[in-house]
Amino acid sequence: MPGIYEAHRYTDPALPIFFHQDTVGGGVSSSLHWHEAVELLYCREGSGTVLSDGERIPLSVGELAVVNANHLHAVYAEQLCRYDCLIASPALFAGLDIPTDALLRSLVKDERLEGIFARIDKELRTRSPCYRAAVRAAIIELYILLCREYAQNPPERGADRAGNRLELCKQVIAFLRRHYAEELSIDGICRAVGFSKYYLCHTFKEMTGQTVVGYLNFLRCQNARSLLATGEYNIGESARACGFHNLSYFTRTYKQQIGELPSVQKGE
């Protein structure tokens, strides 16, 4: 297996992000992994190298390494590299005209970055009133900056990569993210991505550790959880909006995927 797939489970549906500080060094790298959200690595101390889909990105203090969605990546450092890691779910930008699938430049050096990351860090540590709104505002500001000034055209991909197992999983995940609210079948998914049922199901399970249906249910439940957290949708509305048309099946699946009943999130 070329790397570990991470299916992100955000603990706070009102602020679906990961933000933490990491340190690597001593010639050791973080584990090779991939996921469907963009990962932003802002270097605070030392230097290192970010490996992203075969590209080597040298990272120094004050620089931001951008790991674009679905890129296989790891961080390596001979001495010490301490950095902030930010991963924001596309759900954070719901209703905004921010292209969360935009391909961003892999290395950004911009004096505005330090202030934005410092605000995010402070708000999450102090948790002052309205801190979620403040963090969300800072991340939106960051993405607007990146999309306006550091977006780039996607490179052309050769047809020889179409059969690559990792590329297949990326195609399936991208398709499910776009169409999770629709009625889907394994046969329909196979037709959409152009692979046989056996090969698709076997490869997806091998590469991600999940079945296609299992990942689809995870994606649907995560989005249903986000809708419930807004307070604007009841359980039935959230279920239907995310592709569930049987309420009892939705409740069982939600409990399996999230670890609690949807009524807990709804506060009923």
Side-chain angles (χ1 to χ4, degrees):
M1 182 182 299
I4 299 170
Y5 169 70
E6 292 184 353
H8 290 151
R9 299 175 184 270
Y10 302 96
T11 57
D12 185 353
L15 189 63
I17 68 168
F18 292 123
F19 184 86
H20 56 271
Q21 287 192 349
D22 280 337
T23 303
V24 295
V28 177
S29 68
S30 61
S31 60
L32 198 62
H33 63 286
W34 61 284
H35 42 73
E36 64 264 31
V38 174
E39 183 168 333
L40 303 176
L41 308 173
Y42 179 72
C43 185
R44 292 195 172 275
E45 182 180 354
S47 62
T49 300
V50 179
L51 311 174
S52 179
D53 256 18
E55 180 183 6
R56 298 177 64 87
I57 308 168
L59 184 64
S60 300
V61 174
E63 295 178 335
L64 179 73
V66 178
V67 178
N68 283 288
N70 297 317
H71 281 205
L72 191 65
H73 61 280
V75 183
Y76 173 86
E78 285 287 354
Q79 300 298 323
L80 170 76
C81 184
R82 184 169 63 87
Y83 56 90
D84 291 344
C85 174
L86 171 63
I87 301 173
S89 167
L92 187 77
F93 308 100
L96 303 176
D97 61 342
I98 294 178
T100 55
D101 58 349
L103 187 69
L104 303 173
R105 192 181 302 175
S106 58
L107 185 66
V108 174
K109 188 172 180 65
D110 191 301
E111 61 184 12
R112 291 168 285 185
L113 294 173
E114 182 177 6
I116 296 174
F117 274 86
R119 292 205 311 273
I120 295 171
D121 180 59
K122 180 181 178 180
E123 291 291 345
L124 289 173
R125 282 189 293 102
T126 61
R127 299 200 170 197
S128 300
C130 306
Y131 81 92
R132 289 186 179 87
V135 171
R136 186 171 185 264
I139 295 175
I140 290 171
E141 178 186 347
L142 174 61
Y143 267 73
I144 290 173
L145 169 64
L146 294 175
C147 290
R148 281 182 171 176
E149 301 189 26
Y150 299 102
Q152 59 183 358
N153 294 325
E156 294 184 3
R157 294 179 178 252
D160 59 324
R161 299 192 66 185
N164 180 276
R165 294 182 301 164
L166 182 58
E167 288 300 313
L168 166 60
C169 293
K170 292 177 181 180
Q171 288 179 47
V172 173
I173 287 170
F175 176 82
L176 294 180
R177 288 191 64 83
R178 291 194 301 270
H179 300 283
Y180 69 88
E182 304 171 12
E183 288 193 25
L184 296 175
S185 66
I186 292 294
D187 289 337
I189 296 169
C190 290
R191 285 194 298 271
V193 299
F195 288 89
S196 71
K197 181 188 294 188
Y198 173 79
Y199 182 73
L200 185 148
C201 293
H202 176 78
T203 301
F204 194 88
K205 174 69 173 177
E206 181 184 16
M207 298 294 290
T208 69
Q210 302 183 64
T211 65
V212 175
V213 173
Y215 178 77
L216 175 60
N217 283 335
F218 161 75
L219 192 61
R220 285 172 166 172
C221 289
Q222 285 286 332
N223 281 276
R225 188 173 185 231
S226 295
L227 292 180
L228 289 169
T230 67
E232 299 177 3
Y233 298 81
N234 63 34
I235 293 173
E237 291 169 339
S238 297
R240 288 189 294 274
C242 295
F244 290 102
H245 301 285
N246 182 302
L247 195 55
S248 61
Y249 177 68
F250 167 67
T251 301
R252 290 197 309 272
T253 304
Y254 190 97
K255 179 67 165 60
Q256 292 170 352
Q257 295 289 338
I258 306 299
E260 60 187 22
L261 294 172
S263 56
V264 174
Q265 181 63 56
K266 188 62 179 173
E268 297 178 354

